[in-house]
Amino acid sequence: MISEKVKQSFIRIVGSENYDDSKAGRLVYSYDATPQFQSLPDAVIAPRNTKEVSEIVKICNEHRIPLVPRGSGTNLCAGTCPIEGGVVLVFKHMNKILEIDEENLTVTVQPGVITQDLIKAVEEKGLFYPPDPSSMKISTIGGNINENSGGLRGLKYGVTRDYVMALEVVLANGDIIRTGGKLAKDVAGYDLTRLFVGSEGTLGVITEATLKLIPMPETKKTMLALYQDLEAAARSVSKIIANKIIPTTLEFLDQPTLAVVEDYARIGLPTNVKAVLLIEQDGPYEVVERDMKKMAEICQEEQAVSVQIARSEAEADALRTARRSALSALARLKPTTILEDATVPRSEIAKMVKAINEIAEKYNVKICTFGHAGDGNLHPTCPTDVRDREEIERVEKAFEEIFAKAIELGGTITGEHGVGAMKAPYLEWKLGKEGIEAMKAIKQALDPNGIMNPGKIFAKSERKRVVVTR
Amino acid sequence: MTTAKERATIQQQFQTRMNEDELMNCMRCGFCLPTCPTYIESGFQESHSPRGRIALMKAVVDGLIEPDEDVERSLNMCLGCRACEPVCPSGVRYGHLLEEARDIIAQNKKYSLFVRIIRKIVFSGLFPHQNRMRLLTALVGFYQRSGLQSLARRFGLLNLLPRHLTTMEKVLPTVPTWKEMNDRPKQLTPQGIKKRRVAFFTGCLMDTMFMKTNDATMELLQRAGCEVVIPPAQACCGALHGHGGEKHQAKELAKRNIEAFEQLNVDYIVTNAGGCGAFLVEYDHLLKDDADWAERAKAFTRKIKDISEVLVELNFHETKLKVKPQVVTYQDSCHLRNVMKVANAPRQLLQAIEGAEFREMKDADRCCGSAGIYNIVEPEMSMQILDYKMQMAKQTKATTIVTANPGCLLQMKLGIEREGLSSHMRAVHIVDFLLEASGE
Ligand SMILES: Cc1cc2nc3c(=O)[nH]c(=O)nc-3n(C[C@H](O)[C@H](O)[C@H](O)COP(=O)(O)OP(=O)(O)OC[C@H]3O[C@@H](n4cnc5c(N)ncnc54)[C@H](O)[C@@H]3O)c2cc1C
Ligand code: SF4
Ligand code: SF4
């Protein structure tokens, strides 16, 4: 709860128009894109600059008020659900691109900038910012950094982490620090930049970021490989990489996912095949041609029933956009859509696809799978209904078994969506007790009062590990 | 303001009447946010976004919050433009949710006496009765022709109205006379060989205030080879009622229209107002729970088609169309685009006109802020949205803004007036422009 006195101090900082504690105003920040999580904050505050953030944080720290920084609330791990109430901090005013530095190839932004706006702005100058989460038309850079988001181009170009060069961060005590710089090399002290990337708002508030840019690749080609056998598609993925080709994009969609995506996008996707791979390569013309040819051959060797090259950039773009809509499109099937983010080494992708299908059958649940196959990152997704408790239990069991299988294959419980409140109970499976303790020590040092996004990453109680029987 | 008792009733009706599956269908991905005009213009407030509004409706159903003033505010601020629907991968039918929610609130809320009277006049007294619409229009005509208008303008009487209404008065079309309005055709023969038999849905406002545009529509249909029937028994489409929380009356009007059209044996029922067409095309949803009418409504909606699509289908764009050289841009009608899914045909027609250089306006698909009676009840937001629209229109350097719905047409005219551009920019309905191009 926020006392009247504290409320007045907040209002003195940001003005009454940027402080909202109405019921409706709080309700619309009580959720994110994660199903089954909702909790009201006590107030929503929209600071206008770093100094205001710092002052707000100081008050929260003094009064032990939980603070939840929030971008567009598209995360899938209950990362911005204010499960312990407190203040939700929104960056609708702090949404400017501050500088595009064409000499050092960097861009400096405020946290509320929308990912796609940034990508478009730098592309106008012939520059390229690769991390492109499917949610990029609404996700913010602040959110991307804090979830270390990946995207369709992750296979070749890496994830958000690989592009963050410098940060301005407000720490839990209100101190403002700057990490990194526009430097190709920098070993002055601990790499705090990397620490804050993926920290899910639990260590500090990011108020500015300098991101690395690269030159726009010269050409790009896109193709779709069609399969009547899921595992054959998955095998093609491992084989392409084993053949020392790193395409920009290597995405997997199974039949039920294709069907809903086509239902929405209506671009003539094949819905009568068991799976497709969306493959892209960019770079110098000759390299792209050579790689595309080779990949097409590999797909055909692996029983692809057809390999089609997009005839125009418009067609290619329609394919990418369709792929990006996969998760939301799956939501049309049932009232509740639960998705996972299990990730395995690329070589294990066919085994993982097989295991997912077996597990779905074992628990008698419907699982549709799509994902960044080239990254070994799959999104098995279950259309269900929270009102059917019995089914939800089976779904949860199935997903636990999928996590366990992923870890057994040398993988992880989340590749890009983060831990948040949702996967906190499973984190120990991946890290072990000692791993968790080391992370807790960092958290304790930077946020001794536990005001920064409490209840995320670290769970109150761990899940008992399921044992997978093969 | 609602009383505690009213709020309790509203909440309880939310629980029984709102479609919970549809509410849950929203997975809160936020993909609709960048297309929502009120989200953008409110400075990115979630409570003025589709995702936020759905969450609020659901929270009322779940009993998490009361339907208080702020909830109502959020729903009132919605344009109902439905731009959030085509971009929603999950296929949430937001428009239906909004309509139901507004109906529940309107039916259970005690409005102030003034608002009650206005609602009564508009919803029951006026729109369902075409003869009264004619009378009203005739009064406007009297005002315009008798010299009253110039008197009122000269003596600054209009300054007593809020500014946007004063401007609105200026942009009203010169309306037809009482006699003209009462002398409407019932059947028209095609010019040349008959290619289709169609019925024309005239609309209440279109057949009075915008009668000329209706005449142009029928003329174009004839030129394109259509036999046109105009059943006199048809009524107002009911959109205003449906969107304004008077669902019951909307249903009655729907039934009247279905009856008026179902025996005509036509290929299409043609509309020339996106707002009406979109409501007609959803009669099946409106009457889905009415066993006697559900099937008949379906048959009716299958036949609804916008004039521009009919013209393209009949290759009207391949006939000779020519205007004097000018730059033309097109403002989508939200309901034509988002509900009837017509976006290409009007552009295709415009691009076929010799002399008209078509330039696409940035965000042409974003609402102009007219939105039924929104520009009267939410003037501030409406004008903010309009100002943005006019900036985009100016960037195209167009001298002609083409629209496909009377509300949008008036709003664009209003925008032109507000910007002081009326000397070299005009707004026209697409059929009027096509008739001009086809030679009158
Ligand atoms: C349909 C759909 C598709 C998606 N596709 C992908 C995908 O392809 N790849 C992928 O990786 N993810 C994907 N996601 C997940 C999600 O979009 C990403 O995690 C995204 O980066 C979140 O951005 P956001 O602005 O919505 O952040 P939010 O959800 O608002 O916040 C995410 C986290 O960042 C923290 N945070 C936000 N801003 C700040 C700040 N300034 N300082 C400190 N902490 C902050 C929050 O506290 C929270 O922990 C998808 C989600 C959806 C709904
Ligand atoms: S796009 Fe659809 S599913 Fe996503 S938030 Fe908007 S309404 Fe909900
Ligand atoms: S109908 Fe229009 S104004 Fe209303 S929520 Fe949808 S996009 Fe926004």
Side-chain angles (χ1 to χ4, degrees):
Chain A
M1 274 302 286
I2 296 171
S3 70
E4 187 56 32
K5 204 165 141 256
V6 172
K7 170 175 168 174
Q8 289 312 322
S9 355
F10 283 135
I11 289 177
R12 265 196 300 281
I13 300 167
V14 292
S16 56
E17 69 281 14
N18 290 312
Y19 180 92
D20 190 353
D21 60 359
S22 70
K23 203 86 197 266
R26 293 186 291 134
L27 186 112
V28 293
Y29 294 99
S30 64
Y31 54 82
D32 49 38
T34 322
Q36 308 193 71
F37 285 87
Q38 184 161 28
S39 173
L40 285 169
D42 296 307
V44 181
I45 304 182
R48 290 165 294 196
N49 52 50
T50 305
K51 192 167 148 281
E52 290 184 357
V53 173
S54 162
E55 288 170 23
I56 294 164
V57 174
K58 271 184 203 151
I59 295 179
C60 288
N61 199 29
E62 188 187 331
H63 298 278
R64 309 287 190 267
I65 299 170
L67 188 78
V68 185
R70 183 183 183 278
S72 291
T74 66
N75 73 85
L76 298 161
C77 60
T80 49
C81 178
I83 49 179
E84 297 184 13
V87 165
V88 166
L89 213 55
V90 296
F91 299 96
K92 61 181 189 185
H93 299 303
M94 297 175 69
N95 62 352
K96 311 282 172 319
I97 297 178
L98 301 173
E99 179 204 51
I100 299 177
D101 181 343
E102 293 180 72
E103 287 178 0
N104 287 304
L105 301 192
T106 62
V107 58
T108 301
V109 297
Q110 293 184 312
V113 169
I114 303 293
T115 314
Q116 183 162 293
D117 294 347
L118 168 99
I119 291 176
K120 283 199 175 144
V122 302
E123 279 183 359
E124 269 170 31
K125 301 203 184 284
L127 294 166
F128 186 36
Y129 177 74
D132 61 341
S134 298
S135 53
M136 68 182 188
K137 71 182 244 193
I138 184 64
S139 73
T140 65
I141 292 296
N144 291 171
I145 293 174
N146 276 281
E147 298 293 5
N148 188 11
S149 299
L152 262 52
R153 304 192 278 238
L155 174 54
K156 181 167 177 177
Y157 292 103
V159 293
T160 304
R161 175 181 57 219
D162 302 306
Y163 295 84
V164 183
M165 301 183 77
L167 293 172
E168 179 185 79
V169 188
V170 175
L171 298 178
N173 61 7
D175 282 359
I176 301 169
I177 63 164
R178 285 188 167 269
T179 73
K182 289 181 186 175
L183 304 163
K185 304 171 90 173
D186 179 10
V187 291
Y190 294 145
D191 190 348
L192 291 185
T193 312
R194 282 223 163 191
L195 175 64
F196 283 102
V197 174
S199 65
E200 303 188 15
T202 63
L203 298 179
V205 181
I206 293 183
T207 47
E208 197 183 296
T210 298
L211 308 167
K212 181 169 91 178
L213 302 174
I214 57 177
M216 252 328 235
E218 291 159 43
T219 51
K220 179 149 89 179
K221 268 207 154 161
T222 306
M223 75 182 172
L224 212 52
L226 282 45
Y227 294 85
Q228 287 302 2
D229 176 1
L230 282 181
E231 288 166 46
R235 273 198 310 274
S236 306
V237 172
S238 313
K239 208 165 157 193
I240 287 170
I241 292 160
N243 268 274
K244 305 189 177 53
I245 302 176
I246 306 284
T248 314
T249 298
L250 193 39
E251 295 285 314
F252 173 92
L253 294 106
D254 71 359
Q255 199 272 335
T257 312
L258 279 167
V260 289
V261 169
E262 175 57 17
D263 200 20
Y264 161 63
R266 306 211 179 265
I267 56 166
L269 285 173
T271 51
N272 56 351
V273 293
K274 288 273 160 38
V276 302
L277 292 178
L278 172 66
I279 306 174
E280 292 195 282
Q281 182 61 305
D282 63 8
Y285 179 77
E286 309 77 56
V287 178
V288 172
E289 285 292 308
R290 190 193 64 206
D291 285 356
M292 290 303 269
K293 189 158 162 274
K294 181 80 196 160
M295 287 190 286
E297 280 166 21
I298 293 171
C299 293
Q300 266 146 359
E301 276 164 30
E302 286 297 336
Q303 271 84 52
V305 288
S306 136
V307 180
Q308 306 160 356
I309 301 223
R311 280 171 303 240
S312 64
E313 174 53 23
E315 191 181 314
D317 203 47
L319 288 172
R320 287 190 287 270
T321 307
R323 155 63 188 93
R324 289 195 182 105
S325 72
L327 168 59
S328 318
L330 278 166
R332 61 173 61 208
L333 290 176
K334 280 291 212 69
T336 312
T337 309
I338 302 182
L339 111 158
E340 278 314 333
D341 186 29
T343 304
V344 293
R346 289 156 182 164
S347 55
E348 307 296 318
I349 197 90
K351 280 188 206 145
M352 195 65 214
V353 167
K354 183 157 180 277
I356 291 171
N357 283 330
E358 285 167 2
I359 292 167
E361 214 161 287
K362 173 169 162 193
Y363 291 97
N364 187 25
V365 292
K366 182 176 170 101
I367 294 186
C368 314
T369 301
F370 64 95
H372 317 293
D375 293 335
N377 183 191
L378 292 174
H379 296 314
T381 303
C382 180
T384 174
D385 188 338
V386 280
R387 293 166 294 191
D388 183 348
R389 288 319 302 178
E390 186 272 330
E391 181 171 293
I392 289 288
E393 253 171 56
R394 277 185 283 125
V395 173
E396 274 167 10
K397 285 208 184 101
F399 277 129
E400 283 190 0
E401 201 160 320
I402 290 173
F403 293 160
K405 184 71 192 180
I407 291 174
E408 183 197 297
L409 291 172
T412 182
I413 57 171
T414 169
E416 58 176 15
H417 293 163
V419 181
M422 186 187 182
K423 288 212 192 87
Y426 303 96
L427 188 61
E428 201 185 305
W429 295 13
K430 169 73 171 74
L431 299 179
K433 250 202 158 41
E434 301 76 5
I436 297 256
E437 284 311 317
M439 286 193 189
K440 274 190 176 160
I442 296 172
K443 167 82 175 167
Q444 179 65 26
L446 287 175
D447 177 22
N449 296 324
I451 58 156
M452 292 302 308
N453 209 357
K456 312 299 161 63
I457 300 189
F458 307 107
K460 294 230 160 70
S461 62
E462 265 77 41
R463 276 304 273 221
K464 215 173 131 283
R465 172 109 177 233
V466 282
V467 186
V468 185
T469 41
R470 266 182 287 180
Chain B
M1 272 289 265
T2 43
T3 62
K5 194 159 156 267
E6 280 164 10
R7 286 199 296 276
T9 325
I10 291 172
Q11 183 135 33
Q12 188 250 323
Q13 291 202 6
F14 259 71
Q15 282 155 1
T16 49
R17 281 180 55 188
M18 292 299 290
N19 181 344
E20 201 185 355
D21 283 348
E22 195 70 61
L23 287 168
M24 290 180 73
N25 192 12
C26 170
M27 62 85 66
R28 308 189 291 214
C29 64
F31 278 30
C32 51
L33 269 54
T35 42
C36 174
T38 58
Y39 177 66
I40 298 166
E41 293 297 337
S42 69
F44 312 108
Q45 283 191 48
E46 183 84 10
S47 54
H48 294 314
S49 78
R51 179 173 67 175
R53 293 185 175 116
I54 295 169
L56 286 171
M57 294 186 235
K58 180 152 192 306
V60 173
V61 171
D62 293 345
L64 269 177
I65 57 169
E66 279 197 320
D68 64 10
E69 236 174 297
D70 296 313
V71 174
E72 234 188 277
R73 185 87 212 100
S74 155
L75 296 179
N76 285 344
M77 198 66 124
C78 173
L79 294 154
C81 70
R82 299 173 72 169
C84 43
E85 287 186 38
V87 293
C88 170
S90 184
V92 175
R93 277 165 300 183
Y94 172 82
H96 297 171
L97 290 170
L98 178 74
E99 207 168 273
E100 197 70 23
R102 282 188 171 164
D103 194 55
I104 296 173
I105 295 174
Q107 295 309 318
N108 291 290
K109 177 181 160 131
K110 252 201 146 43
Y111 289 100
S112 70
L113 185 64
F114 174 72
V115 175
R116 264 199 334 258
I117 292 171
I118 296 278
R119 287 182 68 95
K120 183 93 188 153
I121 293 176
V122 171
F123 292 132
S124 319
L126 207 52
F127 277 80
H129 308 286
Q130 194 60 8
N131 53 345
R132 297 186 196 165
M133 288 295 287
R134 288 186 193 139
L135 188 59
L136 178 75
T137 312
L139 285 175
V140 175
F142 177 72
Y143 169 77
Q144 287 175 338
R145 277 184 278 262
S146 65
L148 257 184
Q149 183 170 41
S150 50
L151 269 181
R153 284 185 184 167
R154 185 131 35 97
F155 289 106
L157 286 184
L158 297 164
N159 297 345
L160 301 173
L161 296 172
R163 183 168 110 84
H164 71 284
L165 287 184
T166 323
T167 324
M168 187 67 102
E169 184 268 355
K170 275 197 208 150
V171 302
L172 282 183
T174 313
V175 301
T177 62
W178 174 252
K179 184 163 175 306
E180 284 167 334
M181 281 183 289
N182 282 295
D183 185 21
R184 303 299 287 149
K186 298 193 176 60
Q187 179 128 14
L188 298 165
T189 49
Q191 295 178 11
I193 32 167
K194 172 173 154 185
K195 295 183 189 158
R196 299 281 188 281
R197 176 178 155 86
V198 303
F200 180 44
F201 181 83
T202 53
C204 51
L205 205 58
M206 289 303 298
D207 218 36
T208 49
M209 201 83 83
F210 294 92
M211 205 180 86
K212 270 198 132 98
T213 304
N214 266 5
D215 291 343
T217 308
M218 291 185 276
E219 176 72 30
L220 289 177
L221 283 171
Q222 286 175 285
R223 289 187 192 183
C226 294
E227 177 183 14
V228 190
V229 271
I230 307 109
Q234 60 179 305
C236 161
C237 65
L240 215 53
H241 306 82
H243 305 320
E246 296 289 337
K247 224 174 165 174
H248 177 72
Q249 291 197 45
K251 285 184 188 166
E252 290 313 308
L253 289 166
K255 290 177 190 170
R256 264 166 67 186
N257 280 321
I258 293 170
E259 263 176 351
F261 283 92
E262 65 190 345
Q263 304 295 344
L264 298 179
N265 191 26
V266 290
D267 299 314
Y268 303 126
I269 300 168
V270 182
T271 62
N272 64 358
C276 303
F279 201 72
L280 297 172
V281 94
E282 293 199 323
Y283 273 2
D284 55 344
H285 172 76
L286 187 68
L287 295 172
K288 67 178 189 324
D289 299 324
D290 191 329
D292 294 339
W293 289 88
E295 277 310 312
R296 293 164 76 180
K298 269 191 202 147
F300 177 87
T301 55
R302 271 196 296 270
K303 295 209 160 153
I304 299 294
K305 214 174 175 85
D306 184 66
I307 175 74
S308 50
E309 284 208 315
V310 177
L311 291 177
V312 168
E313 187 180 294
L314 297 175
N315 295 324
F316 186 71
H317 54 300
E318 285 165 13
T319 63
K320 176 138 182 79
L321 297 170
K322 188 175 175 186
V323 291
K324 26 178 219 303
Q326 57 193 294
V327 177
V328 175
T329 193
Y330 175 71
Q331 162 62 23
D332 279 290
S333 143
C334 299
H335 284 182
L336 185 60
R337 185 186 179 102
N338 301 326
V339 185
M340 294 183 81
K341 308 274 187 306
V342 178
N344 270 335
R347 289 176 168 82
Q348 210 175 331
L349 289 163
L350 293 175
Q351 277 161 348
I353 301 174
E354 208 184 313
E357 184 191 333
F358 180 78
R359 280 198 208 140
E360 185 71 33
M361 153 167 68
K362 183 165 179 264
D363 293 329
D365 57 354
R366 195 189 290 175
C367 184
C368 63
S370 148
I373 51 168
Y374 189 88
N375 53 3
I376 298 172
V377 293
E378 296 289 344
E380 208 176 307
M381 180 57 96
S382 170
M383 291 305 116
Q384 201 178 324
I385 291 172
L386 177 59
D387 290 344
Y388 175 80
K389 180 63 55 189
M390 292 315 293
Q391 292 317 312
M392 296 304 114
K394 277 196 268 182
Q395 275 177 19
T396 64
K397 303 238 177 338
T399 51
T400 306
I401 307 178
V402 179
T403 66
N405 184 55
C408 314
L409 179 60
L410 279 182
Q411 182 85 343
M412 296 319 297
K413 288 187 172 194
L414 191 67
I416 293 171
E417 271 302 319
R418 274 168 70 85
E419 299 280 326
L421 293 170
S422 53
S423 59
H424 58 280
M425 199 190 242
R426 61 168 181 163
V428 292
H429 191 291
I430 186 162
V431 295
D432 291 317
F433 192 57
L434 286 171
L435 191 66
E436 179 184 326
S438 171
E440 293 193 30

